[in-house]
Amino acid sequence: MAKTNIDIKNITKENLKILIDKKSIENRVASIANQINEIYVEKNPIILCVLNGAFIFYADLVRHLNIDFEVDFIKLSSYGSSMESSGTIRMIKDVSANIAGRDVIIVEDIIDTGLTINYLRKRMIDGQSKSVSFVTCLLKDRKKYHFDFKIDCIGFKIPDKFVIGYGLDLDQRFRGLKNIYTIK
Ligand code: PRP
């Protein structure tokens, strides 16, 4: 993740620059939902939202689906109030459903180092899910990731910069912004 000398508490909307606008996000979400609609007919998947960051992408995505599905939520944390991953994943709330024998779609807002999805995949294997697939709104362009499996669906590939808005926060701020922004 890019380092900055800015004090994060002093960042305001004036410091933000649009990276992906609302309309582009809406179009991409609809197209991802169409893919899920085709692949998961009659599979009744559990669609798992990774809290907190994915909640807006998730809510937009599931409202485009016309298949049967169940919702569930898992809460993990790797960043705390910092702009860089701590390198350690903390489970704050585990999945509630019994995932054994079920097709699970994991919905993430962003994959950065990949530590979180690696942790999630292990959790799904331990829980004996029938299948697990990953849908992420954003994938950061990095030389190296902490996972070695395929990401099934990527909304946008973005440069290795800190991004906020559309669910993504800076020390818990800015999650409600409709566009995705970088910091100027
Ligand atoms: C963010 C994001 C992903 C994870 C990706 O979560 O929502 O879950 O980091 O980073 P990684 O690929 O380096 O593991 P964060 O820990 O910031 O919590 P939040 O979703 O509550 O903001």
Side-chain angles (χ1 to χ4, degrees):
M1 188 166 289
K3 292 193 179 178
T4 173
N5 294 323
I6 307 171
D7 182 345
I8 57 176
K9 289 192 177 59
N10 294 335
I11 291 173
T12 65
K13 283 185 187 172
E14 281 66 50
N15 299 110
L16 307 183
K17 184 179 163 201
I18 293 182
L19 179 68
I20 307 168
D21 64 39
K22 178 176 174 276
K23 193 71 207 158
S24 304
I25 297 170
E26 282 170 5
N27 291 340
R28 191 70 188 108
V29 169
S31 145
I32 293 170
N34 285 340
Q35 287 181 45
I36 296 173
N37 283 331
E38 282 175 20
I39 296 169
Y40 285 90
V41 179
E42 293 182 3
K43 291 193 167 176
N44 191 24
I46 294 173
I47 309 186
L48 188 59
C49 176
V50 186
L51 297 170
N52 289 332
F55 76 112
I56 292 180
F57 174 51
Y58 182 89
D60 283 349
L61 190 65
V62 298
R63 282 179 289 178
H64 281 282
L65 298 180
N66 54 29
I67 53 165
D68 287 333
F69 63 88
E70 293 178 25
V71 301
D72 206 347
F73 302 86
I74 190 166
K75 185 166 162 64
L76 305 172
S77 183
S78 66
Y79 280 80
S81 59
S82 158
M83 292 172 77
E84 290 183 72
S85 172
S86 65
T88 310
I89 308 301
R90 279 194 308 134
M91 166 88 78
I92 297 166
K93 181 214 166 291
D94 199 359
V95 57
S96 304
N98 179 4
I99 56 171
R102 300 293 302 274
D103 293 300
V104 181
I105 303 172
I106 296 181
V107 177
E108 263 288 20
D109 52 338
I110 187 165
I111 297 170
D112 181 2
T113 64
L115 280 168
T116 303
I117 57 161
N118 204 43
Y119 180 101
L120 284 163
R121 189 157 183 270
K122 286 198 180 108
R123 174 67 190 87
M124 295 303 112
I125 291 168
D126 289 347
Q128 298 185 313
S129 71
K130 183 177 172 189
S131 72
V132 55
S133 62
F134 285 91
V135 175
T136 185
C137 183
L138 305 174
L139 173 72
K140 268 202 196 176
D141 188 16
R142 280 178 160 269
K143 289 201 181 80
K144 208 171 157 229
Y145 298 98
H146 290 275
F147 65 94
D148 60 0
F149 49 89
K150 183 175 162 285
I151 306 303
D152 302 270
C153 188
I154 297 162
F156 302 92
K157 287 187 182 167
I158 60 165
D160 186 5
K161 290 186 174 169
F162 195 82
V163 286
I164 55 177
Y166 199 61
L168 293 128
D169 73 309
L170 175 62
D171 200 10
Q172 302 305 328
R173 299 163 63 211
F174 303 118
R175 288 196 199 267
L177 299 178
K178 293 185 173 72
N179 306 294
I180 294 171
Y181 298 84
T182 54
I183 297 167
K184 281 183 204 164

